Amino acid sequence: MNLGGSIRINKCGVVLIAIGLLLFLYYLSTGKSGSSNYALNKNPNEVNLRKLLIGSIQAAQRGGLEVVEVSKSIDLKVQSKGKTKEGANDPVTDADFRSHCVMADGLHRIFPNLRIISEEDSAKQSCPDAKLFDLDPTVMHETNVLDEIVDIEEVTVWIDPLDATQEYTESLTEYVTTMVCVAVKGVPTIGVVHNPFTKTTVWAWVNKAMSEPLSNMKRDEEVKNPVLIVSRSHTGDVQNIAKEVFGKNVHIIKAGGAGYKVLKVLNNEATAYLHSTAIKKWDICAGNAILNAVGGKMTDLNNQEISYSDKDPFVNEKGLLATASSSTHEQYIKKILEKNLL
């Protein structure tokens, strides 16, 4: 036995080693390793929208875990941001902050130069214990979605760490969602709406892909009896507007959460989501993107598209109309404009 002899590798072995190395490098580059390197682009001034979609889905889901965890505690640590224009209390809880930390910091760690706007940015929260994440492409359950690289200056990400906080404090968890929206040049392009208590996630990338439940939804093009879903806590004069525009027999559903309302429209449980007063853009951007993806539409009540550029105001002042069908939107907005109610 010659223990001091050299190890010989034949040509076949060299080829196998080379193939193995190439496969390993490919494995890393496609992200199947779960490494955060999966997200990195060679050019820090660019962002891969497919990878950002994956990160957005994960951010919404990870934020949702924090929302559920806080709900189990005796004290939600409810505070007030003040009053809305309608005079309703605008609460914030420990769940809002913890979800914000996971979602915003998680995305920023993977996409450091990304412009992210979160509802809780103004709180100046420090997040030393935030549970961050690496990209996991399996959350998308899609294999044929191609990369799209865009200039990072064109991208704004809007985060709502806990939509329907008022309802959350009342244990009305069906209304609660966490949401992420990616706007490109101000246009809502990727939307993610996640209910952490039912563990359902709906997402869409306009003209590219959408989650399976969304693609299987059937929508009525012919609408005979208007069913409008409106805010239960920021109602304003929307009920009066609805009756004046559509008649006294219009059916009105009161609900919490902008994300929840859009999902009801997508599920054909309401023909439109109507809001007559100011609303923050992190509340509506994700729903706007999803509606765009399925052929629906969301505009303000002057029928103007809503811009989600970070250079525009963070508040949409002129209400909104959202439908899952562009033809329904056309019918409804025409009636609204004819009444000249704004």
Side-chain angles (χ1 to χ4, degrees):
M1 181 182 296
N2 183 6
L3 296 177
S6 61
I7 299 173
R8 294 183 179 180
I9 301 175
N10 60 27
K11 292 182 179 179
C12 182
V14 171
V15 171
L16 289 174
I17 291 172
I19 291 173
L21 180 59
L22 288 172
L23 287 173
F24 178 71
L25 292 173
Y26 174 75
Y27 187 72
L28 290 178
S29 69
T30 56
K32 293 182 174 64
S33 68
S35 167
S36 60
N37 289 333
Y38 169 58
L40 300 179
N41 296 307
K42 293 181 180 179
N43 188 343
N45 297 316
E46 295 178 338
V47 63
N48 185 323
L49 290 183
R50 180 176 67 87
K51 294 176 183 177
L52 185 51
L53 166 60
I54 293 167
S56 298
I57 295 170
Q58 286 186 261
Q61 293 175 344
R62 297 300 183 94
L65 292 176
E66 299 299 313
V67 170
V68 172
E69 186 63 28
V70 173
S71 72
K72 299 173 184 176
S73 61
I74 297 174
D75 184 9
L76 300 179
K77 298 180 181 177
V78 181
Q79 304 173 44
S80 178
K81 297 179 183 178
K83 298 286 186 180
T84 67
K85 288 185 177 181
E86 295 84 15
N89 182 46
D90 189 8
V92 64
T93 70
D94 194 37
D96 294 78
F97 296 135
R98 283 175 51 174
S99 178
H100 159 81
C101 286
V102 170
M103 295 174 73
D105 282 26
L107 284 174
H108 258 149
R109 186 178 72 88
I110 301 171
F111 305 95
N113 298 325
L114 200 62
R115 172 66 167 137
I116 297 177
I117 300 171
S118 169
E119 179 175 8
E120 307 310 334
D121 278 335
S122 60
K124 305 295 182 185
Q125 284 291 111
S126 60
C127 307
D129 302 320
K131 301 171 185 176
L132 307 183
F133 53 87
D134 293 327
L135 288 189
D136 176 9
T138 63
V139 299
M140 199 164 59
H141 303 295
E142 297 282 345
T143 58
N144 60 347
V145 182
L146 300 178
D147 290 335
E148 182 176 334
I149 310 297
V150 298
D151 188 328
I152 202 165
E153 290 297 320
E154 298 177 352
V155 177
T156 305
V157 174
W158 296 79
I159 289 177
D160 193 338
L162 200 173
D163 189 36
T165 300
Q166 178 62 47
E167 287 70 24
Y168 178 71
T169 65
E170 300 171 22
S171 298
L172 300 173
T173 56
E174 68 269 27
Y175 298 129
V176 173
T177 59
T178 56
M179 297 189 287
V180 182
C181 178
V182 178
V184 180
K185 296 182 179 179
V187 178
T189 303
I190 291 172
V192 182
V193 179
H194 172 68
N195 183 307
F197 293 94
T198 62
K199 294 183 172 62
T200 55
T201 307
V202 174
W203 60 264
W205 181 3
V206 177
N207 297 326
K208 294 283 186 177
M210 63 183 68
S211 55
E212 187 175 343
L214 192 60
S215 61
N216 292 334
M217 289 178 183
K218 295 181 179 179
R219 293 163 198 89
D220 297 327
E221 290 296 326
E222 294 296 326
V223 179
K224 296 181 180 179
N225 301 310
V227 179
L228 304 184
I229 191 163
V230 304
S231 174
R232 67 184 287 271
S233 57
H234 305 280
T235 304
D237 58 354
V238 68
Q239 292 185 88
N240 294 333
I241 290 175
K243 290 178 180 179
E244 185 169 346
V245 172
F246 300 100
K248 294 182 179 180
N249 293 326
V250 62
H251 183 55
I252 297 174
I253 302 171
K254 293 182 181 181
Y260 176 88
K261 295 186 198 63
V262 169
L263 292 180
K264 286 299 181 184
V265 171
L266 289 165
N267 281 313
N268 278 327
E269 296 176 57
T271 57
Y273 166 24
L274 182 65
H275 192 85
S276 62
T277 55
I279 190 166
K280 306 290 178 56
K281 291 184 179 178
W282 45 71
D283 288 322
I284 57 176
C285 185
N288 199 340
I290 293 172
L291 288 170
N292 288 352
V294 301
K297 197 167 185 180
M298 180 186 289
T299 67
D300 67 23
L301 295 184
N302 285 330
N303 201 25
Q304 298 298 308
E305 301 283 348
I306 301 167
S307 172
Y308 298 90
S309 167
D310 64 303
K311 297 176 178 60
D312 293 317
F314 292 178
V315 180
N316 168 47
E317 297 282 357
K318 298 180 180 179
L320 68 85
L321 176 70
T323 64
S325 160
S326 57
S327 62
T328 301
H329 190 281
E330 186 177 341
Q331 295 172 35
Y332 284 17
I333 202 69
K334 183 178 180 181
K335 291 177 178 289
I336 291 170
L337 292 173
E338 284 173 352
K339 293 293 183 178
N340 193 28
L341 296 171
L342 288 186

